[in-house]
Amino acid sequence: GQQLNQSPQSMFIQEGEDVSMNCTSSSIFNTWLWYKQDPGEGPVLLIALYKAGELTSNGRLTAQFGITRKDSFLNISASIPSDVGIYFCAGQKEMLEYGNKLVFGAGTILRVKS
Amino acid sequence: NAGVTQTPKFQVLKTGQSMTLQCAQDMNHEYMSWYRQDPGMGLRLIHYSVGAGITDQGEVPNGYNVSRSTTEDFPLRLLSAAPSQTSVYFCASTDGDRRNTEAFFGQGTRLTVV
């Protein structure tokens, strides 16, 4: 069953707002990954985290690998309309699996506030 | 550079029919995987392969078969389609380098079983 709890399930954003989402697990993961999926497309990697405590940025995106190795968060600063989509966290338990066996969260749907 | 190519993009099957979802990658990646995506559940691993001739089961393997006769191709076979297999299917590949766990996803196959 689902091993990663991702929240929130959905959220509305207004252009310029900061956005935050997170994933937690009862299990330890050795790698945390954040993906974005646009409609009709496959997920695309945004940020990969390999060490506990690691904080990594990719443009307006910042993600952290929790110190307990059981959680991670993703922040988007100054959101823009093209940020809408589904964001997934994914974890990899074993060091030797090299992205081959990922466990995904249920996703956070970002929508634009009208 | 095509990356990961999945065919078909859409398919409707009748209960009990069989079919094969095709996946090909041109990046010479060792690792390939199949996931299914269902609303509110993220992506779940069906089967994976760490190289030609080697396959193994993921989280939800029942009702599906795979084979890996070449590095490039990793077809997914539905033996006798059931309505519960209505889903979006994604194929992914990874190069297996321990420094790079990025999984590249295809555009998906949307399957409806009636």
Side-chain angles (χ1 to χ4, degrees), chain A residues 46-96:
Chain A
L46 299 173
I47 291 180
L49 303 158
Y50 300 105
K51 288 167 58 174
E54 181 179 356
L55 183 72
T56 297
S57 293
N58 178 7
R60 293 178 296 106
L61 277 61
T62 301
Q64 185 157 31
F65 191 148
I67 198 73
T68 64
R69 294 198 284 161
K70 293 183 178 180
D71 63 326
S72 177
F73 72 74
L74 174 71
N75 287 342
I76 305 173
S77 63
S79 57
I80 60 178
S82 61
D83 288 335
V84 300
I86 306 177
Y87 291 78
F88 291 101
C89 63
Q92 189 171 285
K93 285 189 174 178
E94 301 295 333
M95 290 300 291
L96 296 179

Side-chain angles (χ1 to χ4, degrees), chain A residues 6 8-13 21 83-87 106-111, chain B residues 40:
Chain A
Q6 186 171 349
Q9 287 185 334
S10 67
M11 57 194 309
F12 288 88
I13 60 171
M21 61 192 79
D83 288 335
V84 300
I86 306 177
Y87 291 78
T108 294
I109 303 172
L110 246 58
R111 298 187 177 98

Side-chain angles (χ1 to χ4, degrees), chain A residues 100-112:
Chain A
N100 198 47
K101 292 170 60 178
L102 298 175
V103 177
F104 281 82
T108 294
I109 303 172
L110 246 58
R111 298 187 177 98
V112 177

